[in-house]
mmCIF file with all atom_site columns, all heavy atoms in Angstrom:
data_model
loop_
_atom_site.group_PDB
_atom_site.id
_atom_site.type_symbol
_atom_site.label_atom_id
_atom_site.label_alt_id
_atom_site.label_comp_id
_atom_site.label_asym_id
_atom_site.label_entity_id
_atom_site.label_seq_id
_atom_site.pdbx_PDB_ins_code
_atom_site.Cartn_x
_atom_site.Cartn_y
_atom_site.Cartn_z
_atom_site.occupancy
_atom_site.B_iso_or_equiv
_atom_site.pdbx_formal_charge
_atom_site.auth_seq_id
_atom_site.auth_comp_id
_atom_site.auth_asym_id
_atom_site.auth_atom_id
_atom_site.pdbx_PDB_model_num
ATOM 1   N N   . GLU A 1 1  ? 6.606  2.131  -1.522  1.00 0.00 ? 1  GLU A N   1
ATOM 2   C CA  . GLU A 1 1  ? 6.309  0.806  -2.053  1.00 0.00 ? 1  GLU A CA  1
ATOM 3   C C   . GLU A 1 1  ? 5.849  0.944  -3.498  1.00 0.00 ? 1  GLU A C   1
ATOM 4   O O   . GLU A 1 1  ? 5.423  2.027  -3.925  1.00 0.00 ? 1  GLU A O   1
ATOM 5   C CB  . GLU A 1 1  ? 5.216  0.132  -1.223  1.00 0.00 ? 1  GLU A CB  1
ATOM 6   C CG  . GLU A 1 1  ? 5.591  -0.046 0.227   1.00 0.00 ? 1  GLU A CG  1
ATOM 7   C CD  . GLU A 1 1  ? 4.448  -0.584 1.069   1.00 0.00 ? 1  GLU A CD  1
ATOM 8   O OE1 . GLU A 1 1  ? 3.325  -0.766 0.538   1.00 0.00 ? 1  GLU A OE1 1
ATOM 9   O OE2 . GLU A 1 1  ? 4.670  -0.832 2.257   1.00 0.00 ? 1  GLU A OE2 1
ATOM 10  N N   . LEU A 1 2  ? 5.903  -0.149 -4.218  1.00 0.00 ? 2  LEU A N   1
ATOM 11  C CA  . LEU A 1 2  ? 5.441  -0.134 -5.609  1.00 0.00 ? 2  LEU A CA  1
ATOM 12  C C   . LEU A 1 2  ? 4.014  0.382  -5.716  1.00 0.00 ? 2  LEU A C   1
ATOM 13  O O   . LEU A 1 2  ? 3.686  1.145  -6.623  1.00 0.00 ? 2  LEU A O   1
ATOM 14  C CB  . LEU A 1 2  ? 5.531  -1.531 -6.226  1.00 0.00 ? 2  LEU A CB  1
ATOM 15  C CG  . LEU A 1 2  ? 6.933  -2.013 -6.573  1.00 0.00 ? 2  LEU A CG  1
ATOM 16  C CD1 . LEU A 1 2  ? 6.887  -3.463 -7.018  1.00 0.00 ? 2  LEU A CD1 1
ATOM 17  C CD2 . LEU A 1 2  ? 7.578  -1.143 -7.626  1.00 0.00 ? 2  LEU A CD2 1
ATOM 18  N N   . LYS A 1 3  ? 3.168  -0.031 -4.775  1.00 0.00 ? 3  LYS A N   1
ATOM 19  C CA  . LYS A 1 3  ? 1.752  0.314  -4.865  1.00 0.00 ? 3  LYS A CA  1
ATOM 20  C C   . LYS A 1 3  ? 1.459  1.787  -4.578  1.00 0.00 ? 3  LYS A C   1
ATOM 21  O O   . LYS A 1 3  ? 0.389  2.269  -4.909  1.00 0.00 ? 3  LYS A O   1
ATOM 22  C CB  . LYS A 1 3  ? 0.927  -0.569 -3.928  1.00 0.00 ? 3  LYS A CB  1
ATOM 23  C CG  . LYS A 1 3  ? 1.198  -0.322 -2.467  1.00 0.00 ? 3  LYS A CG  1
ATOM 24  C CD  . LYS A 1 3  ? 0.386  -1.234 -1.583  1.00 0.00 ? 3  LYS A CD  1
ATOM 25  C CE  . LYS A 1 3  ? 0.694  -0.947 -0.120  1.00 0.00 ? 3  LYS A CE  1
ATOM 26  N NZ  . LYS A 1 3  ? -0.067 -1.770 0.765   1.00 0.00 ? 3  LYS A NZ  1
ATOM 27  N N   . ASN A 1 4  ? 2.433  2.514  -3.965  1.00 0.00 ? 4  ASN A N   1
ATOM 28  C CA  . ASN A 1 4  ? 2.129  3.897  -3.630  1.00 0.00 ? 4  ASN A CA  1
ATOM 29  C C   . ASN A 1 4  ? 3.071  4.935  -4.238  1.00 0.00 ? 4  ASN A C   1
ATOM 30  O O   . ASN A 1 4  ? 2.799  6.123  -4.184  1.00 0.00 ? 4  ASN A O   1
ATOM 31  C CB  . ASN A 1 4  ? 2.072  4.083  -2.109  1.00 0.00 ? 4  ASN A CB  1
ATOM 32  C CG  . ASN A 1 4  ? 3.411  3.886  -1.406  1.00 0.00 ? 4  ASN A CG  1
ATOM 33  O OD1 . ASN A 1 4  ? 4.475  3.830  -2.014  1.00 0.00 ? 4  ASN A OD1 1
ATOM 34  N ND2 . ASN A 1 4  ? 3.354  3.780  -0.096  1.00 0.00 ? 4  ASN A ND2 1
ATOM 35  N N   . VAL A 1 5  ? 4.159  4.506  -4.824  1.00 0.00 ? 5  VAL A N   1
ATOM 36  C CA  . VAL A 1 5  ? 5.205  5.450  -5.226  1.00 0.00 ? 5  VAL A CA  1
ATOM 37  C C   . VAL A 1 5  ? 4.757  6.448  -6.299  1.00 0.00 ? 5  VAL A C   1
ATOM 38  O O   . VAL A 1 5  ? 5.105  7.631  -6.233  1.00 0.00 ? 5  VAL A O   1
ATOM 39  C CB  . VAL A 1 5  ? 6.506  4.722  -5.642  1.00 0.00 ? 5  VAL A CB  1
ATOM 40  C CG1 . VAL A 1 5  ? 6.330  3.975  -6.952  1.00 0.00 ? 5  VAL A CG1 1
ATOM 41  C CG2 . VAL A 1 5  ? 7.669  5.696  -5.722  1.00 0.00 ? 5  VAL A CG2 1
ATOM 42  N N   . ILE A 1 6  ? 3.964  6.039  -7.258  1.00 0.00 ? 6  ILE A N   1
ATOM 43  C CA  . ILE A 1 6  ? 3.527  6.961  -8.319  1.00 0.00 ? 6  ILE A CA  1
ATOM 44  C C   . ILE A 1 6  ? 2.593  8.017  -7.743  1.00 0.00 ? 6  ILE A C   1
ATOM 45  O O   . ILE A 1 6  ? 2.742  9.218  -8.013  1.00 0.00 ? 6  ILE A O   1
ATOM 46  C CB  . ILE A 1 6  ? 2.866  6.209  -9.492  1.00 0.00 ? 6  ILE A CB  1
ATOM 47  C CG1 . ILE A 1 6  ? 3.851  5.243  -10.138 1.00 0.00 ? 6  ILE A CG1 1
ATOM 48  C CG2 . ILE A 1 6  ? 2.294  7.196  -10.518 1.00 0.00 ? 6  ILE A CG2 1
ATOM 49  C CD1 . ILE A 1 6  ? 5.059  5.899  -10.789 1.00 0.00 ? 6  ILE A CD1 1
ATOM 50  N N   . SER A 1 7  ? 1.639  7.605  -6.916  1.00 0.00 ? 7  SER A N   1
ATOM 51  C CA  . SER A 1 7  ? 0.721  8.565  -6.298  1.00 0.00 ? 7  SER A CA  1
ATOM 52  C C   . SER A 1 7  ? 1.461  9.532  -5.389  1.00 0.00 ? 7  SER A C   1
ATOM 53  O O   . SER A 1 7  ? 1.159  10.727 -5.364  1.00 0.00 ? 7  SER A O   1
ATOM 54  C CB  . SER A 1 7  ? -0.364 7.836  -5.502  1.00 0.00 ? 7  SER A CB  1
ATOM 55  O OG  . SER A 1 7  ? -1.184 7.089  -6.354  1.00 0.00 ? 7  SER A OG  1
ATOM 56  N N   . ILE A 1 8  ? 2.431  9.028  -4.643  1.00 0.00 ? 8  ILE A N   1
ATOM 57  C CA  . ILE A 1 8  ? 3.210  9.891  -3.764  1.00 0.00 ? 8  ILE A CA  1
ATOM 58  C C   . ILE A 1 8  ? 4.078  10.838 -4.583  1.00 0.00 ? 8  ILE A C   1
ATOM 59  O O   . ILE A 1 8  ? 4.223  12.012 -4.242  1.00 0.00 ? 8  ILE A O   1
ATOM 60  C CB  . ILE A 1 8  ? 4.036  9.053  -2.777  1.00 0.00 ? 8  ILE A CB  1
ATOM 61  C CG1 . ILE A 1 8  ? 3.083  8.358  -1.797  1.00 0.00 ? 8  ILE A CG1 1
ATOM 62  C CG2 . ILE A 1 8  ? 5.059  9.903  -2.036  1.00 0.00 ? 8  ILE A CG2 1
ATOM 63  C CD1 . ILE A 1 8  ? 3.710  7.320  -0.923  1.00 0.00 ? 8  ILE A CD1 1
ATOM 64  N N   . LEU A 1 9  ? 4.628  10.352 -5.671  1.00 0.00 ? 9  LEU A N   1
ATOM 65  C CA  . LEU A 1 9  ? 5.413  11.210 -6.558  1.00 0.00 ? 9  LEU A CA  1
ATOM 66  C C   . LEU A 1 9  ? 4.576  12.372 -7.080  1.00 0.00 ? 9  LEU A C   1
ATOM 67  O O   . LEU A 1 9  ? 4.985  13.535 -7.024  1.00 0.00 ? 9  LEU A O   1
ATOM 68  C CB  . LEU A 1 9  ? 5.971  10.393 -7.725  1.00 0.00 ? 9  LEU A CB  1
ATOM 69  C CG  . LEU A 1 9  ? 6.686  11.172 -8.824  1.00 0.00 ? 9  LEU A CG  1
ATOM 70  C CD1 . LEU A 1 9  ? 7.932  11.870 -8.280  1.00 0.00 ? 9  LEU A CD1 1
ATOM 71  C CD2 . LEU A 1 9  ? 7.041  10.259 -9.976  1.00 0.00 ? 9  LEU A CD2 1
ATOM 72  N N   . ILE A 1 10 ? 3.402  12.080 -7.575  1.00 0.00 ? 10 ILE A N   1
ATOM 73  C CA  . ILE A 1 10 ? 2.521  13.108 -8.132  1.00 0.00 ? 10 ILE A CA  1
ATOM 74  C C   . ILE A 1 10 ? 2.114  14.104 -7.045  1.00 0.00 ? 10 ILE A C   1
ATOM 75  O O   . ILE A 1 10 ? 2.179  15.319 -7.245  1.00 0.00 ? 10 ILE A O   1
ATOM 76  C CB  . ILE A 1 10 ? 1.284  12.467 -8.791  1.00 0.00 ? 10 ILE A CB  1
ATOM 77  C CG1 . ILE A 1 10 ? 1.716  11.664 -10.012 1.00 0.00 ? 10 ILE A CG1 1
ATOM 78  C CG2 . ILE A 1 10 ? 0.247  13.526 -9.167  1.00 0.00 ? 10 ILE A CG2 1
ATOM 79  C CD1 . ILE A 1 10 ? 0.664  10.717 -10.528 1.00 0.00 ? 10 ILE A CD1 1
ATOM 80  N N   . SER A 1 11 ? 1.722  13.590 -5.882  1.00 0.00 ? 11 SER A N   1
ATOM 81  C CA  . SER A 1 11 ? 1.286  14.461 -4.791  1.00 0.00 ? 11 SER A CA  1
ATOM 82  C C   . SER A 1 11 ? 2.429  15.315 -4.264  1.00 0.00 ? 11 SER A C   1
ATOM 83  O O   . SER A 1 11 ? 2.261  16.512 -4.010  1.00 0.00 ? 11 SER A O   1
ATOM 84  C CB  . SER A 1 11 ? 0.696  13.625 -3.647  1.00 0.00 ? 11 SER A CB  1
ATOM 85  O OG  . SER A 1 11 ? -0.451 12.940 -4.077  1.00 0.00 ? 11 SER A OG  1
ATOM 86  N N   . SER A 1 12 ? 3.595  14.724 -4.085  1.00 0.00 ? 12 SER A N   1
ATOM 87  C CA  . SER A 1 12 ? 4.732  15.482 -3.551  1.00 0.00 ? 12 SER A CA  1
ATOM 88  C C   . SER A 1 12 ? 5.199  16.547 -4.549  1.00 0.00 ? 12 SER A C   1
ATOM 89  O O   . SER A 1 12 ? 5.613  17.635 -4.147  1.00 0.00 ? 12 SER A O   1
ATOM 90  C CB  . SER A 1 12 ? 5.878  14.555 -3.151  1.00 0.00 ? 12 SER A CB  1
ATOM 91  O OG  . SER A 1 12 ? 6.348  13.806 -4.243  1.00 0.00 ? 12 SER A OG  1
ATOM 92  N N   . ASP A 1 13 ? 5.114  16.260 -5.838  1.00 0.00 ? 13 ASP A N   1
ATOM 93  C CA  . ASP A 1 13 ? 5.456  17.262 -6.845  1.00 0.00 ? 13 ASP A CA  1
ATOM 94  C C   . ASP A 1 13 ? 4.476  18.424 -6.783  1.00 0.00 ? 13 ASP A C   1
ATOM 95  O O   . ASP A 1 13 ? 4.873  19.590 -6.784  1.00 0.00 ? 13 ASP A O   1
ATOM 96  C CB  . ASP A 1 13 ? 5.467  16.637 -8.238  1.00 0.00 ? 13 ASP A CB  1
ATOM 97  C CG  . ASP A 1 13 ? 5.838  17.629 -9.320  1.00 0.00 ? 13 ASP A CG  1
ATOM 98  O OD1 . ASP A 1 13 ? 6.956  18.184 -9.260  1.00 0.00 ? 13 ASP A OD1 1
ATOM 99  O OD2 . ASP A 1 13 ? 5.009  17.854 -10.221 1.00 0.00 ? 13 ASP A OD2 1
ATOM 100 N N   . PHE A 1 14 ? 3.196  18.119 -6.687  1.00 0.00 ? 14 PHE A N   1
ATOM 101 C CA  . PHE A 1 14 ? 2.158  19.143 -6.604  1.00 0.00 ? 14 PHE A CA  1
ATOM 102 C C   . PHE A 1 14 ? 2.357  20.025 -5.378  1.00 0.00 ? 14 PHE A C   1
ATOM 103 O O   . PHE A 1 14 ? 2.174  21.241 -5.425  1.00 0.00 ? 14 PHE A O   1
ATOM 104 C CB  . PHE A 1 14 ? 0.775  18.493 -6.568  1.00 0.00 ? 14 PHE A CB  1
ATOM 105 C CG  . PHE A 1 14 ? -0.344 19.468 -6.416  1.00 0.00 ? 14 PHE A CG  1
ATOM 106 C CD1 . PHE A 1 14 ? -0.823 20.167 -7.516  1.00 0.00 ? 14 PHE A CD1 1
ATOM 107 C CD2 . PHE A 1 14 ? -0.921 19.699 -5.182  1.00 0.00 ? 14 PHE A CD2 1
ATOM 108 C CE1 . PHE A 1 14 ? -1.863 21.081 -7.381  1.00 0.00 ? 14 PHE A CE1 1
ATOM 109 C CE2 . PHE A 1 14 ? -1.955 20.610 -5.036  1.00 0.00 ? 14 PHE A CE2 1
ATOM 110 C CZ  . PHE A 1 14 ? -2.428 21.302 -6.136  1.00 0.00 ? 14 PHE A CZ  1
ATOM 111 N N   . LEU A 1 15 ? 2.767  19.411 -4.258  1.00 0.00 ? 15 LEU A N   1
ATOM 112 C CA  . LEU A 1 15 ? 2.932  20.136 -3.001  1.00 0.00 ? 15 LEU A CA  1
ATOM 113 C C   . LEU A 1 15 ? 4.306  20.799 -2.864  1.00 0.00 ? 15 LEU A C   1
ATOM 114 O O   . LEU A 1 15 ? 4.584  21.455 -1.867  1.00 0.00 ? 15 LEU A O   1
ATOM 115 C CB  . LEU A 1 15 ? 2.692  19.187 -1.823  1.00 0.00 ? 15 LEU A CB  1
ATOM 116 C CG  . LEU A 1 15 ? 1.268  18.645 -1.716  1.00 0.00 ? 15 LEU A CG  1
ATOM 117 C CD1 . LEU A 1 15 ? 1.207  17.526 -0.688  1.00 0.00 ? 15 LEU A CD1 1
ATOM 118 C CD2 . LEU A 1 15 ? 0.285  19.761 -1.384  1.00 0.00 ? 15 LEU A CD2 1
ATOM 119 N N   . GLY A 1 16 ? 5.170  20.613 -3.844  1.00 0.00 ? 16 GLY A N   1
ATOM 120 C CA  . GLY A 1 16 ? 6.486  21.237 -3.812  1.00 0.00 ? 16 GLY A CA  1
ATOM 121 C C   . GLY A 1 16 ? 7.441  20.604 -2.810  1.00 0.00 ? 16 GLY A C   1
ATOM 122 O O   . GLY A 1 16 ? 8.296  21.291 -2.252  1.00 0.00 ? 16 GLY A O   1
ATOM 123 N N   . MET A 1 17 ? 7.314  19.312 -2.601  1.00 0.00 ? 17 MET A N   1
ATOM 124 C CA  . MET A 1 17 ? 8.164  18.580 -1.654  1.00 0.00 ? 17 MET A CA  1
ATOM 125 C C   . MET A 1 17 ? 9.334  17.960 -2.425  1.00 0.00 ? 17 MET A C   1
ATOM 126 O O   . MET A 1 17 ? 9.340  16.766 -2.709  1.00 0.00 ? 17 MET A O   1
ATOM 127 C CB  . MET A 1 17 ? 7.330  17.520 -0.932  1.00 0.00 ? 17 MET A CB  1
ATOM 128 C CG  . MET A 1 17 ? 6.138  18.085 -0.182  1.00 0.00 ? 17 MET A CG  1
ATOM 129 S SD  . MET A 1 17 ? 5.004  16.811 0.417   1.00 0.00 ? 17 MET A SD  1
ATOM 130 C CE  . MET A 1 17 ? 5.934  16.145 1.782   1.00 0.00 ? 17 MET A CE  1
ATOM 131 N N   . ALA A 1 18 ? 10.317 18.797 -2.755  1.00 0.00 ? 18 ALA A N   1
ATOM 132 C CA  . ALA A 1 18 ? 11.404 18.404 -3.658  1.00 0.00 ? 18 ALA A CA  1
ATOM 133 C C   . ALA A 1 18 ? 12.182 17.188 -3.170  1.00 0.00 ? 18 ALA A C   1
ATOM 134 O O   . ALA A 1 18 ? 12.520 16.304 -3.963  1.00 0.00 ? 18 ALA A O   1
ATOM 135 C CB  . ALA A 1 18 ? 12.351 19.576 -3.874  1.00 0.00 ? 18 ALA A CB  1
ATOM 136 N N   . ARG A 1 19 ? 12.479 17.124 -1.876  1.00 0.00 ? 19 ARG A N   1
ATOM 137 C CA  . ARG A 1 19 ? 13.246 15.981 -1.357  1.00 0.00 ? 19 ARG A CA  1
ATOM 138 C C   . ARG A 1 19 ? 12.474 14.669 -1.534  1.00 0.00 ? 19 ARG A C   1
ATOM 139 O O   . ARG A 1 19 ? 13.043 13.653 -1.931  1.00 0.00 ? 19 ARG A O   1
ATOM 140 C CB  . ARG A 1 19 ? 13.580 16.190 0.121   1.00 0.00 ? 19 ARG A CB  1
ATOM 141 C CG  . ARG A 1 19 ? 14.551 15.146 0.641   1.00 0.00 ? 19 ARG A CG  1
ATOM 142 C CD  . ARG A 1 19 ? 14.988 15.456 2.073   1.00 0.00 ? 19 ARG A CD  1
ATOM 143 N NE  . ARG A 1 19 ? 14.691 14.280 2.860   1.00 0.00 ? 19 ARG A NE  1
ATOM 144 C CZ  . ARG A 1 19 ? 13.996 14.243 3.960   1.00 0.00 ? 19 ARG A CZ  1
ATOM 145 N NH1 . ARG A 1 19 ? 13.492 15.329 4.475   1.00 0.00 ? 19 ARG A NH1 1
ATOM 146 N NH2 . ARG A 1 19 ? 13.785 13.110 4.591   1.00 0.00 ? 19 ARG A NH2 1
ATOM 147 N N   . LEU A 1 20 ? 11.175 14.709 -1.292  1.00 0.00 ? 20 LEU A N   1
ATOM 148 C CA  . LEU A 1 20 ? 10.363 13.513 -1.464  1.00 0.00 ? 20 LEU A CA  1
ATOM 149 C C   . LEU A 1 20 ? 10.235 13.148 -2.938  1.00 0.00 ? 20 LEU A C   1
ATOM 150 O O   . LEU A 1 20 ? 10.259 11.963 -3.288  1.00 0.00 ? 20 LEU A O   1
ATOM 151 C CB  . LEU A 1 20 ? 8.987  13.694 -0.825  1.00 0.00 ? 20 LEU A CB  1
ATOM 152 C CG  . LEU A 1 20 ? 8.045  12.502 -0.869  1.00 0.00 ? 20 LEU A CG  1
ATOM 153 C CD1 . LEU A 1 20 ? 8.700  11.238 -0.316  1.00 0.00 ? 20 LEU A CD1 1
ATOM 154 C CD2 . LEU A 1 20 ? 6.756  12.811 -0.119  1.00 0.00 ? 20 LEU A CD2 1
ATOM 155 N N   . VAL A 1 21 ? 10.126 14.132 -3.811  1.00 0.00 ? 21 VAL A N   1
ATOM 156 C CA  . VAL A 1 21 ? 10.102 13.861 -5.253  1.00 0.00 ? 21 VAL A CA  1
ATOM 157 C C   . VAL A 1 21 ? 11.376 13.126 -5.644  1.00 0.00 ? 21 VAL A C   1
ATOM 158 O O   . VAL A 1 21 ? 11.325 12.112 -6.355  1.00 0.00 ? 21 VAL A O   1
ATOM 159 C CB  . VAL A 1 21 ? 9.947  15.168 -6.075  1.00 0.00 ? 21 VAL A CB  1
ATOM 160 C CG1 . VAL A 1 21 ? 10.202 14.916 -7.561  1.00 0.00 ? 21 VAL A CG1 1
ATOM 161 C CG2 . VAL A 1 21 ? 8.576  15.776 -5.866  1.00 0.00 ? 21 VAL A CG2 1
ATOM 162 N N   . ASP A 1 22 ? 12.515 13.610 -5.164  1.00 0.00 ? 22 ASP A N   1
ATOM 163 C CA  . ASP A 1 22 ? 13.792 12.957 -5.463  1.00 0.00 ? 22 ASP A CA  1
ATOM 164 C C   . ASP A 1 22 ? 13.832 11.525 -4.945  1.00 0.00 ? 22 ASP A C   1
ATOM 165 O O   . ASP A 1 22 ? 14.329 10.623 -5.627  1.00 0.00 ? 22 ASP A O   1
ATOM 166 C CB  . ASP A 1 22 ? 14.959 13.755 -4.877  1.00 0.00 ? 22 ASP A CB  1
ATOM 167 C CG  . ASP A 1 22 ? 15.180 15.086 -5.576  1.00 0.00 ? 22 ASP A CG  1
ATOM 168 O OD1 . ASP A 1 22 ? 14.663 15.267 -6.703  1.00 0.00 ? 22 ASP A OD1 1
ATOM 169 O OD2 . ASP A 1 22 ? 15.862 15.943 -4.984  1.00 0.00 ? 22 ASP A OD2 1
ATOM 170 N N   . GLU A 1 23 ? 13.306 11.310 -3.742  1.00 0.00 ? 23 GLU A N   1
ATOM 171 C CA  . GLU A 1 23 ? 13.271 9.955  -3.176  1.00 0.00 ? 23 GLU A CA  1
ATOM 172 C C   . GLU A 1 23 ? 12.401 9.031  -4.030  1.00 0.00 ? 23 GLU A C   1
ATOM 173 O O   . GLU A 1 23 ? 12.760 7.873  -4.270  1.00 0.00 ? 23 GLU A O   1
ATOM 174 C CB  . GLU A 1 23 ? 12.750 9.985  -1.741  1.00 0.00 ? 23 GLU A CB  1
ATOM 175 C CG  . GLU A 1 23 ? 13.706 10.613 -0.765  1.00 0.00 ? 23 GLU A CG  1
ATOM 176 C CD  . GLU A 1 23 ? 13.124 10.710 0.632   1.00 0.00 ? 23 GLU A CD  1
ATOM 177 O OE1 . GLU A 1 23 ? 12.390 9.790  1.038   1.00 0.00 ? 23 GLU A OE1 1
ATOM 178 O OE2 . GLU A 1 23 ? 13.403 11.706 1.313   1.00 0.00 ? 23 GLU A OE2 1
ATOM 179 N N   . CYS A 1 24 ? 11.264 9.534  -4.481  1.00 0.00 ? 24 CYS A N   1
ATOM 180 C CA  . CYS A 1 24 ? 10.369 8.736  -5.318  1.00 0.00 ? 24 CYS A CA  1
ATOM 181 C C   . CYS A 1 24 ? 11.022 8.400  -6.654  1.00 0.00 ? 24 CYS A C   1
ATOM 182 O O   . CYS A 1 24 ? 10.947 7.252  -7.116  1.00 0.00 ? 24 CYS A O   1
ATOM 183 C CB  . CYS A 1 24 ? 9.059  9.481  -5.561  1.00 0.00 ? 24 CYS A CB  1
ATOM 184 S SG  . CYS A 1 24 ? 7.988  9.620  -4.116  1.00 0.00 ? 24 CYS A SG  1
ATOM 185 N N   . VAL A 1 25 ? 11.669 9.385  -7.266  1.00 0.00 ? 25 VAL A N   1
ATOM 186 C CA  . VAL A 1 25 ? 12.335 9.152  -8.554  1.00 0.00 ? 25 VAL A CA  1
ATOM 187 C C   . VAL A 1 25 ? 13.442 8.118  -8.380  1.00 0.00 ? 25 VAL A C   1
ATOM 188 O O   . VAL A 1 25 ? 13.597 7.217  -9.211  1.00 0.00 ? 25 VAL A O   1
ATOM 189 C CB  . VAL A 1 25 ? 12.871 10.480 -9.142  1.00 0.00 ? 25 VAL A CB  1
ATOM 190 C CG1 . VAL A 1 25 ? 13.784 10.226 -10.323 1.00 0.00 ? 25 VAL A CG1 1
ATOM 191 C CG2 . VAL A 1 25 ? 11.714 11.380 -9.537  1.00 0.00 ? 25 VAL A CG2 1
ATOM 192 N N   . LYS A 1 26 ? 14.194 8.208  -7.303  1.00 0.00 ? 26 LYS A N   1
ATOM 193 C CA  . LYS A 1 26 ? 15.252 7.237  -7.034  1.00 0.00 ? 26 LYS A CA  1
ATOM 194 C C   . LYS A 1 26 ? 14.663 5.830  -6.858  1.00 0.00 ? 26 LYS A C   1
ATOM 195 O O   . LYS A 1 26 ? 15.165 4.855  -7.415  1.00 0.00 ? 26 LYS A O   1
ATOM 196 C CB  . LYS A 1 26 ? 16.028 7.631  -5.781  1.00 0.00 ? 26 LYS A CB  1
ATOM 197 C CG  . LYS A 1 26 ? 17.147 6.686  -5.433  1.00 0.00 ? 26 LYS A CG  1
ATOM 198 C CD  . LYS A 1 26 ? 17.875 7.122  -4.175  1.00 0.00 ? 26 LYS A CD  1
ATOM 199 C CE  . LYS A 1 26 ? 18.910 6.064  -3.803  1.00 0.00 ? 26 LYS A CE  1
ATOM 200 N NZ  . LYS A 1 26 ? 19.509 6.337  -2.503  1.00 0.00 ? 26 LYS A NZ  1
ATOM 201 N N   . PHE A 1 27 ? 13.565 5.728  -6.106  1.00 0.00 ? 27 PHE A N   1
ATOM 202 C CA  . PHE A 1 27 ? 12.904 4.441  -5.900  1.00 0.00 ? 27 PHE A CA  1
ATOM 203 C C   . PHE A 1 27 ? 12.422 3.869  -7.235  1.00 0.00 ? 27 PHE A C   1
ATOM 204 O O   . PHE A 1 27 ? 12.596 2.680  -7.517  1.00 0.00 ? 27 PHE A O   1
ATOM 205 C CB  . PHE A 1 27 ? 11.727 4.599  -4.936  1.00 0.00 ? 27 PHE A CB  1
ATOM 206 C CG  . PHE A 1 27 ? 10.993 3.317  -4.664  1.00 0.00 ? 27 PHE A CG  1
ATOM 207 C CD1 . PHE A 1 27 ? 11.365 2.500  -3.615  1.00 0.00 ? 27 PHE A CD1 1
ATOM 208 C CD2 . PHE A 1 27 ? 9.918  2.927  -5.458  1.00 0.00 ? 27 PHE A CD2 1
ATOM 209 C CE1 . PHE A 1 27 ? 10.694 1.317  -3.358  1.00 0.00 ? 27 PHE A CE1 1
ATOM 210 C CE2 . PHE A 1 27 ? 9.244  1.753  -5.215  1.00 0.00 ? 27 PHE A CE2 1
ATOM 211 C CZ  . PHE A 1 27 ? 9.635  0.934  -4.165  1.00 0.00 ? 27 PHE A CZ  1
ATOM 212 N N   . ILE A 1 28 ? 11.815 4.713  -8.059  1.00 0.00 ? 28 ILE A N   1
ATOM 213 C CA  . ILE A 1 28 ? 11.314 4.265  -9.358  1.00 0.00 ? 28 ILE A CA  1
ATOM 214 C C   . ILE A 1 28 ? 12.472 3.788  -10.226 1.00 0.00 ? 28 ILE A C   1
ATOM 215 O O   . ILE A 1 28 ? 12.380 2.754  -10.887 1.00 0.00 ? 28 ILE A O   1
ATOM 216 C CB  . ILE A 1 28 ? 10.506 5.385  -10.043 1.00 0.00 ? 28 ILE A CB  1
ATOM 217 C CG1 . ILE A 1 28 ? 9.200  5.612  -9.281  1.00 0.00 ? 28 ILE A CG1 1
ATOM 218 C CG2 . ILE A 1 28 ? 10.236 5.056  -11.504 1.00 0.00 ? 28 ILE A CG2 1
ATOM 219 C CD1 . ILE A 1 28 ? 8.446  6.863  -9.673  1.00 0.00 ? 28 ILE A CD1 1
ATOM 220 N N   . LYS A 1 29 ? 13.557 4.537  -10.233 1.00 0.00 ? 29 LYS A N   1
ATOM 221 C CA  . LYS A 1 29 ? 14.736 4.159  -11.024 1.00 0.00 ? 29 LYS A CA  1
ATOM 222 C C   . LYS A 1 29 ? 15.258 2.796  -10.595 1.00 0.00 ? 29 LYS A C   1
ATOM 223 O O   . LYS A 1 29 ? 15.581 1.958  -11.433 1.00 0.00 ? 29 LYS A O   1
ATOM 224 C CB  . LYS A 1 29 ? 15.819 5.222  -10.858 1.00 0.00 ? 29 LYS A CB  1
ATOM 225 C CG  . LYS A 1 29 ? 17.089 4.932  -11.609 1.00 0.00 ? 29 LYS A CG  1
ATOM 226 C CD  . LYS A 1 29 ? 18.123 6.015  -11.356 1.00 0.00 ? 29 LYS A CD  1
ATOM 227 C CE  . LYS A 1 29 ? 19.465 5.616  -11.930 1.00 0.00 ? 29 LYS A CE  1
ATOM 228 N NZ  . LYS A 1 29 ? 20.503 6.578  -11.597 1.00 0.00 ? 29 LYS A NZ  1
ATOM 229 N N   . GLU A 1 30 ? 15.330 2.570  -9.284  1.00 0.00 ? 30 GLU A N   1
ATOM 230 C CA  . GLU A 1 30 ? 15.844 1.309  -8.755  1.00 0.00 ? 30 GLU A CA  1
ATOM 231 C C   . GLU A 1 30 ? 14.896 0.135  -8.992  1.00 0.00 ? 30 GLU A C   1
ATOM 232 O O   . GLU A 1 30 ? 15.315 -1.018 -8.944  1.00 0.00 ? 30 GLU A O   1
ATOM 233 C CB  . GLU A 1 30 ? 16.132 1.450  -7.262  1.00 0.00 ? 30 GLU A CB  1
ATOM 234 C CG  . GLU A 1 30 ? 17.286 2.377  -6.961  1.00 0.00 ? 30 GLU A CG  1
ATOM 235 C CD  . GLU A 1 30 ? 17.427 2.722  -5.484  1.00 0.00 ? 30 GLU A CD  1
ATOM 236 O OE1 . GLU A 1 30 ? 16.563 2.312  -4.677  1.00 0.00 ? 30 GLU A OE1 1
ATOM 237 O OE2 . GLU A 1 30 ? 18.402 3.413  -5.142  1.00 0.00 ? 30 GLU A OE2 1
ATOM 238 N N   . ASN A 1 31 ? 13.631 0.422  -9.230  1.00 0.00 ? 31 ASN A N   1
ATOM 239 C CA  . ASN A 1 31 ? 12.612 -0.627 -9.391  1.00 0.00 ? 31 ASN A CA  1
ATOM 240 C C   . ASN A 1 31 ? 11.847 -0.475 -10.699 1.00 0.00 ? 31 ASN A C   1
ATOM 241 O O   . ASN A 1 31 ? 10.685 -0.881 -10.803 1.00 0.00 ? 31 ASN A O   1
ATOM 242 C CB  . ASN A 1 31 ? 11.628 -0.564 -8.215  1.00 0.00 ? 31 ASN A CB  1
ATOM 243 C CG  . ASN A 1 31 ? 12.290 -0.812 -6.895  1.00 0.00 ? 31 ASN A CG  1
ATOM 244 O OD1 . ASN A 1 31 ? 12.572 -1.951 -6.541  1.00 0.00 ? 31 ASN A OD1 1
ATOM 245 N ND2 . ASN A 1 31 ? 12.576 0.246  -6.160  1.00 0.00 ? 31 ASN A ND2 1
#
């Protein structure tokens, strides 16, 4: 969601969750 995507992006990048980082970037791009 808009309210959580940036925090999830930062956390998933820190944790090395590449697939989730990609999902977040795609969501951000679309919105």
